[in-house]
Amino acid sequence: MITDLICTWPRNCDYPLWRQMIRDNRPRFNEVIVAFHETNQGEDYREFVKQAMFSDYIHFVQPPVPVGIEDWRNVSVNASLLHSYNAPWVMFTEQDFYPSYGFWENVEELENGGCEVIAAYQGPRMHPCCIFVKREVLNKTSKNFGIVPDKLDHFGLFQKEILELGVKVGKVDDNKYHHLNGLSHNWSLASQGQQPNYEVAEFITWLIKCLELGVPIDQRFVGVAMR
């Protein structure tokens, strides 16, 4: 599978473990496109992340500021797609998603089985932590990745349009990846000196793993993690 990778990045967060995952798997991707977005809180890690990932050949994007009722994620993803045009597949992901043993083989098996969309699911939801989509299918959608207030979460409308197209969708085996729900929110709380409130033990384990890595670590991150 030749795929571009797209993710959005809150500027007040860093994800050393995810950066290590990208470094370890960089040959698997064509373009890796990261779109920073404003959070109006906390530290600004953008320049550090750019420097830390320089050798990983990452395309960093600064999307336009959403106007009015525009959805920040929809704006960020579409700004990223302007820089993705060669690879036959696009992978949308999040920094709390970590492939496990056998993940890539599972994806390849689903691709070889004729799937044109491959995703991790959370209940009935095609979760944006991991969605692979063929570009020719992507281009048939409205490319609206925002929420529908009181109805659909991010990528919900995209999933609805995918299902209406009738293409074959493959589900990634649940035991082939690990998804750390609540990671960015926990980090934001910890950065503000507050107590993380979701799967705290798992979050602490993540912090410990981050501090043990070989990729560069910002001292601001270390200061929060060591509290």
Side-chain angles (χ1 to χ4, degrees), residues 5 31 37 40 45 48 56 92 94 100 105 132 177 182 194 202 208 226:
L5 180 150
E31 294 280 355
H37 66 89
N40 297 305
Y45 285 94
F48 172 78
D56 301 311
F92 300 106
E94 298 173 336
S100 301
E105 291 77 9
F132 295 88
Y177 63 89
Q194 301 179 45
E202 185 174 62
I208 293 171
M226 294 293 289

Side-chain angles (χ1 to χ4, degrees), residues 101-119:
Y101 179 78
F103 171 81
W104 297 106
E105 291 77 9
N106 185 205
V107 170
E108 182 179 359
E109 180 182 3
L110 292 167
E111 179 191 14
N112 291 338
C115 294
E116 297 181 271
V117 178
I118 300 167

Side-chain angles (χ1 to χ4, degrees), residues 33-106:
I33 304 166
V34 170
F36 291 116
H37 66 89
E38 182 58 62
T39 56
N40 297 305
Q41 62 168 306
E43 299 284 351
D44 188 341
Y45 285 94
R46 285 175 290 191
E47 289 306 314
F48 172 78
V49 171
K50 289 179 184 179
Q51 294 174 16
M53 301 190 79
F54 179 80
S55 62
D56 301 311
Y57 301 99
I58 310 300
H59 192 124
F60 292 101
V61 176
Q62 188 59 59
V65 176
V67 177
I69 62 172
E70 287 183 334
D71 182 274
W72 65 267
R73 189 159 194 176
N74 184 50
V75 170
S76 295
V77 172
N78 275 287
S80 299
L81 284 171
L82 294 176
H83 303 276
S84 171
Y85 36 80
N86 287 325
W89 286 81
V90 176
M91 178 189 185
F92 300 106
T93 190
E94 298 173 336
Q95 295 90 337
D96 57 3
F97 179 84
Y98 297 94
S100 301
Y101 179 78
F103 171 81
W104 297 106
E105 291 77 9
N106 185 205

Side-chain angles (χ1 to χ4, degrees), residues 16-221:
L17 192 62
W18 190 83
R19 289 194 281 110
Q20 182 71 64
M21 185 276 291
I22 290 296
R23 180 160 295 181
D24 293 342
N25 290 277
R26 186 61 184 88
R28 296 184 183 277
F29 307 113
N30 180 46
E31 294 280 355
V32 175
I33 304 166
V34 170
F36 291 116
H37 66 89
E38 182 58 62
T39 56
N40 297 305
Q41 62 168 306
E43 299 284 351
D44 188 341
Y45 285 94
R46 285 175 290 191
E47 289 306 314
F48 172 78
V49 171
K50 289 179 184 179
Q51 294 174 16
M53 301 190 79
F54 179 80
S55 62
D56 301 311
Y57 301 99
I58 310 300
H59 192 124
F60 292 101
V61 176
Q62 188 59 59
V65 176
V67 177
I69 62 172
E70 287 183 334
D71 182 274
W72 65 267
R73 189 159 194 176
N74 184 50
V75 170
S76 295
V77 172
N78 275 287
S80 299
L81 284 171
L82 294 176
H83 303 276
S84 171
Y85 36 80
N86 287 325
W89 286 81
V90 176
M91 178 189 185
F92 300 106
T93 190
E94 298 173 336
Q95 295 90 337
D96 57 3
F97 179 84
Y98 297 94
S100 301
Y101 179 78
F103 171 81
W104 297 106
E105 291 77 9
N106 185 205
V107 170
E108 182 179 359
E109 180 182 3
L110 292 167
E111 179 191 14
N112 291 338
C115 294
E116 297 181 271
V117 178
I118 300 167
Y121 275 76
Q122 192 172 71
R125 183 189 182 198
M126 188 184 292
H127 201 285
C129 70
C130 175
I131 300 174
F132 295 88
V133 56
K134 270 193 171 180
R135 188 176 302 277
E136 60 193 52
V137 174
L138 173 64
N139 289 339
K140 292 177 182 178
T141 73
S142 65
K143 299 180 185 177
N144 187 334
F145 308 96
I147 66 170
V148 178
D150 301 319
K151 293 183 179 179
L152 296 172
D153 206 340
H154 288 121
F155 279 74
L157 182 59
F158 178 71
Q159 178 178 354
K160 181 175 181 292
E161 292 178 345
I162 289 293
L163 296 178
E164 289 172 350
L165 287 172
V167 300
K168 187 175 181 180
V169 178
K171 180 179 181 294
V172 180
D173 289 347
D174 293 340
N175 64 350
K176 302 299 184 185
Y177 63 89
H178 189 56
H179 183 209
L180 279 72
N181 281 301
L183 179 59
S184 296
H185 181 62
N186 275 343
W187 174 256
S188 295
L189 289 174
S191 299
Q192 297 170 48
Q194 301 179 45
Q195 179 65 35
N197 58 15
Y198 188 84
E199 300 290 349
V200 177
E202 185 174 62
F203 177 62
I204 292 172
T205 298
W206 178 82
L207 290 174
I208 293 171
K209 288 181 178 179
C210 287
L211 295 175
E212 296 174 342
L213 296 173
V215 294
I217 306 291
D218 192 293
Q219 288 305 304
R220 294 171 295 178
F221 183 97

